[in-house]
Amino acid sequence: MVVMEHKFTPEIVRILEDAFGCCSKAIFQTSELIQYLNIKTKSASRGSKSRASFGNLYAIYVLVEDYLGKSFHKSGEYKEYEGARFTDLLQRMRELPFGGKLQNHALNHRMNKEFEKYFKICEFTPILRDATTNKYWINENLLNIEIIDETFNIANVVIEIIDAYIEIKRQTFESFITTCQEMQKIKSDNPTAIRQFIVSMIQPNADARIFEIASFGILKKYFAGQSIYWGWTLDEISEESLLLYKTGRCNANDGGIDFVMRPLGRFFQVTETTDVKKYFLDIDKVQRYPITFVIKSMDSADVLREKIEQQAKRVFSVEKVVRRYMDCIEEIINIPLLLERFDEIADTGKPGPVIEEILLQSRVEFNYDD
DNA sequence: TACCCCACAAGAGAGCATTC
DNA sequence: GAATGCTCTCTTGTGGGGTA
């Protein structure tokens, strides 16, 4: 089998070399289990959007851990082992980082099924179970790798590889988690600290998701302080506050509009660049709904508008189409304007709710709980 | 002509909820 | 405890259009 290579593969190779020296390459080529781990760890370098596959990896992990914990790699008596209890295995899976919400699927069916998909001609099923006693085993045939006349047990290496993978995934999340914790600490009554924190969240180099969440927190509270008067007839006019809604998680909002305002029906799109043409596709064919762009930039709104216009002229060339394109931009909100609006909120003595909103949205965005 | 980029669609993995 | 259906969303494949 041709081994797929990705950014975590060298780490797997390194762990194998440390454990088995010159035989490591042959073990990688021979062991379906190692190759499976290699496939399932490809998200290591792919950021938070990528699925981590912890379910199937942890099913292997807890069974191998159980195997090592009882020293079967030394005693060779695994064949006589009564098996591990489902409840213990699942509990252990949930104790592992990011495993809190894992369910039974991987242990019961999914891991085996997926393994079979990748290794059609492999005669061994990784997870063995006795449905009558609810006991589980890792298939030892996949742990003992024969190279020429020697047998190598890869149990320790399996654990080490998954541990290394967990560590990388943990680091990816850690920066954001730290941010959340800092927010919680300064939530109390320190306006200067809160402002500094807000500034750090809306800097040009801030994480895109954090920028979006912070923008939402600021704008929601800013608009909540404003109201309009409207109604079907002159006699029925009533006052209503402007309410900003987030339409979904940042990552779940592929191509969608980020915020919507009631009752005015304004659309808000958060973006990192002035390359906004994707929001106005087919602008020459149809009239488009106006959008307010929240742009992660220190440039003035005029400069940003100018940049967008230059781009539109380059792309559309026809002045009439360029005008229609530009007319679709209802407002441009840059970093200084966001900060200005936050200061207005702070002047009323209520910066706290902004932080609370940011915290709430952060928890939703990252499934992060206290 | 080959290559690249982009948008869209389909496939697939993972988690939630429900049921037995 | 285990199986299953559903939903969400990330990945991959595909085709059209633009460009060198």
Side-chain angles (χ1 to χ4, degrees):
Chain A
M1 175 173 181
V2 179
V3 174
M4 89 182 272
E5 285 224 24
H6 52 79
K7 287 188 178 168
F8 189 70
T9 308
E11 183 62 14
I12 295 178
V13 170
R14 185 196 62 76
I15 292 169
L16 284 169
E17 279 173 358
D18 286 353
F20 305 115
C22 59
C23 295
S24 60
K25 207 169 181 179
I27 290 171
F28 202 162
Q29 289 292 337
T30 310
S31 166
E32 288 94 349
L33 196 56
I34 297 289
Q35 287 169 27
Y36 179 75
L37 295 185
N38 182 47
I39 293 167
K40 298 303 285 178
T41 52
K42 65 175 185 235
S43 94
S45 58
R46 289 191 183 172
S48 62
K49 269 184 161 183
S50 180
R51 280 188 300 249
S53 297
F54 286 124
N56 287 4
L57 287 172
Y58 284 1
I60 299 169
Y61 190 95
V62 294
L63 282 163
V64 174
E65 193 179 51
D66 179 66
Y67 173 87
L68 287 169
K70 296 180 171 67
S71 300
F72 288 121
H73 60 306
K74 292 176 187 159
S75 69
E77 290 170 357
Y78 198 56
K79 289 178 181 64
E80 279 79 51
Y81 179 43
E82 59 176 359
R85 280 178 60 214
F86 173 84
T87 316
D88 298 337
L89 294 171
L90 186 62
Q91 189 189 337
R92 177 65 185 131
M93 280 172 71
R94 287 177 171 168
E95 282 169 7
L96 292 166
F98 311 104
K101 291 182 178 173
L102 290 175
Q103 294 190 81
N104 57 313
H105 310 91
L107 282 167
N108 296 154
H109 180 60
R110 284 185 183 168
M111 194 268 142
N112 281 343
K113 198 179 160 202
E114 191 184 54
F115 185 87
E116 193 185 315
K117 183 185 84 182
Y118 287 120
F119 304 99
K120 291 187 178 67
I121 55 169
C122 179
E123 57 184 316
F124 305 122
T125 303
I127 296 173
L128 307 171
R129 69 182 177 122
D130 182 338
T132 56
T133 58
N134 294 330
K135 295 293 173 63
Y136 290 72
W137 300 261
I138 184 80
N139 194 327
E140 202 177 18
N141 293 311
L142 291 167
L143 294 179
N144 289 324
I145 308 300
E146 280 191 33
I147 304 292
I148 314 177
D149 290 332
E150 201 174 344
T151 302
F152 296 88
N153 187 288
I154 60 167
N156 275 311
V157 161
V158 166
I159 295 292
E160 216 177 311
I161 289 171
I162 299 175
D163 277 340
Y165 176 66
I166 293 169
E167 192 47 40
I168 284 189
K169 295 302 283 185
R170 196 209 295 268
Q171 282 166 14
T172 309
F173 277 86
E174 203 136 83
S175 59
F176 180 73
I177 288 172
T178 309
T179 308
C180 280
Q181 286 166 338
E182 279 177 36
M183 272 199 283
Q184 278 183 306
K185 275 186 222 154
I186 65 163
K187 207 171 99 182
S188 52
D189 339 296
N190 187 340
T192 317
I194 291 179
R195 190 177 193 278
Q196 274 174 356
F197 198 75
I198 292 288
V199 169
S200 76
M201 292 178 89
I202 57 174
Q203 282 305 294
N205 61 352
D207 177 282
R209 292 159 301 168
I210 292 179
F211 179 78
E212 182 176 327
I213 289 167
S215 307
F216 179 74
I218 294 169
L219 293 175
K220 184 176 178 183
K221 296 301 165 193
Y222 173 77
F223 286 118
Q226 302 178 16
S227 54
I228 61 160
Y229 296 87
W230 70 320
W232 291 104
T233 66
L234 277 173
D235 299 332
E236 292 174 347
I237 287 176
S238 60
E239 185 180 0
E240 197 166 330
S241 291
L242 299 180
L243 263 177
L244 201 63
Y245 289 86
K246 209 162 179 302
T247 59
R249 290 187 189 182
C250 308
N251 287 344
N253 206 15
D254 186 18
I257 291 299
D258 295 319
F259 319 145
V260 175
M261 182 197 280
R262 263 179 61 89
L264 291 179
R266 278 179 68 179
F267 283 3
F268 291 74
Q269 184 69 48
V270 183
T271 174
E272 293 190 54
T273 65
T274 50
D275 182 14
V276 298
K277 64 176 185 290
K278 67 177 174 177
Y279 304 109
F280 297 129
L281 295 170
D282 304 326
I283 194 78
D284 52 335
K285 297 173 195 154
V286 292
Q287 195 156 8
R288 286 284 163 168
Y289 199 93
I291 299 177
T292 296
F293 283 98
V294 182
I295 304 178
K296 198 169 78 173
S297 169
M298 295 300 285
D299 290 344
S300 73
D302 287 343
V303 169
L304 291 168
R305 196 175 279 273
E306 178 63 29
K307 280 185 182 174
I308 295 169
E309 188 162 358
Q310 290 303 324
Q311 207 183 94
K313 281 179 178 163
R314 208 168 47 244
V315 175
F316 301 113
S317 70
V318 178
E319 188 60 30
K320 201 174 147 190
V321 178
V322 172
R323 281 274 60 82
R324 196 187 290 176
Y325 182 93
M326 295 306 293
D327 286 347
C328 285
I329 300 168
E330 186 164 19
E331 189 187 354
I332 289 174
I333 298 174
N334 59 1
I335 293 173
L337 193 56
L338 272 177
L339 203 55
E340 205 175 293
R341 290 184 174 176
F342 173 76
D343 286 339
E344 281 182 43
I345 300 166
D347 286 344
T348 66
K350 292 176 183 169
V354 175
I355 295 289
E356 274 166 30
E357 185 65 41
I358 292 171
L359 258 173
L360 175 69
Q361 295 298 333
S362 306
R363 289 205 184 96
V364 174
E365 177 67 29
F366 293 90
N367 277 330
Y368 180 64
D369 215 342
D370 320 79

